[in-house]
Amino acid sequence: NAGVTQTPKFRVLKTGQSMTLLCAQDMNHEYMYWYRQDPGMGLRLIHYSVGEGTTAKGEVPDGYNVSRLKKQNFLLGLESAAPSQTSVYFCASSLASGTYGSYNEQFFGPGTRLTVL
Amino acid sequence: KNQVEQSPQSLIILEGKNCTLQCNYTVSPFSNLRWYKQDTGRGPVSLTIMTFSENTKSNGRYTATLDADTKQSSLHITASQLSDSASYICVVQARVLTGGGNKLTFGTGTQLKVEL
């Protein structure tokens, strides 16, 4: 099993450009999440999904959109990138809340380092 | 506001020595507390998860403790190795009453460096 994979690993954008980050998981997890990690701050939740076709806003959703067309994939889009979106983005997945013994444990991907100039 | 504070911010120890990392939280209602290890350039990896009723949990040379009354946790690393050099993140989950998703509050991490 590959676990959680993310593409691309690195990306440099100019202000105003758009891009999509792809997350894939092969653990048949119901829930998927997108986080950003900035220096001196804990990971912050951008958007999450509790199942195929569903998405919800997290703590810092502005400037991002997401889609979950397939259970195994969760896409994060930046429509018009801004320098404030320079960050490391992590995708994670977990079993559904209430699944016995899971504690909703989240498994993280390797991250995408995004720089917006 | 839910918060997780970790100390120290960074720590340097010699290989073979022990160390203890601290975590204080103000998350309510409490569900569980996790410790993650994050190597440079990698995603966080879970070390332990503890619920309200658990005082201690071990994973090899890592032992986590939880005092739910004082809302404190510690992660003790025994006989440190160079490969223990990483950021250790304390994460607290609030109990989700309705709907799905998560209510995780992440600490900023303790950066540990193990030297020869």
Side-chain angles (χ1 to χ4, degrees), chain A residues 10-78:
Chain A
F10 303 93
R11 186 72 185 268
V12 178
L13 290 178
K14 294 181 179 179
T15 298
Q17 288 185 317
S18 63
M19 76 163 296
T20 300
L21 282 66
L22 172 63
C23 175
Q25 53 95 4
D26 61 2
M27 296 175 282
N28 201 33
H29 285 168
E30 285 294 330
Y31 291 0
M32 296 187 75
Y33 316 83
W34 276 107
Y35 293 91
R36 61 178 289 172
Q37 186 175 41
D38 301 295
M41 303 185 73
L43 274 79
R44 292 181 292 169
L45 183 64
I46 304 172
H47 286 281
Y48 64 95
S49 168
V50 299
E52 182 178 320
T54 73
T55 62
K57 294 180 180 180
E59 182 184 354
V60 288
D62 294 341
Y64 305 95
N65 56 75
V66 288
S67 64
R68 182 111 181 260
L69 299 179
K70 294 182 179 181
K71 184 177 183 179
Q72 64 268 34
N73 295 337
F74 195 28
L75 278 61
L76 178 70
L78 285 72

Side-chain angles (χ1 to χ4, degrees), chain B residues 29-74:
Chain B
F30 176 84
S31 176
N32 58 73
L33 184 145
R34 309 133 186 249
W35 283 95
Y36 281 88
K37 178 186 180 187
Q38 185 177 18
D39 292 315
T40 301
R42 309 289 291 273
V45 175
S46 179
L47 293 174
T48 64
I49 297 178
M50 290 182 292
T51 61
F52 184 89
S53 59
E54 295 174 297
N55 303 108
T56 185
K57 184 166 279 190
S58 292
N59 179 358
R61 294 180 295 102
Y62 301 101
T63 299
T65 64
L66 173 64
D67 186 334
D69 291 331
T70 61
K71 298 186 177 180
Q72 295 180 326
S73 175
S74 65

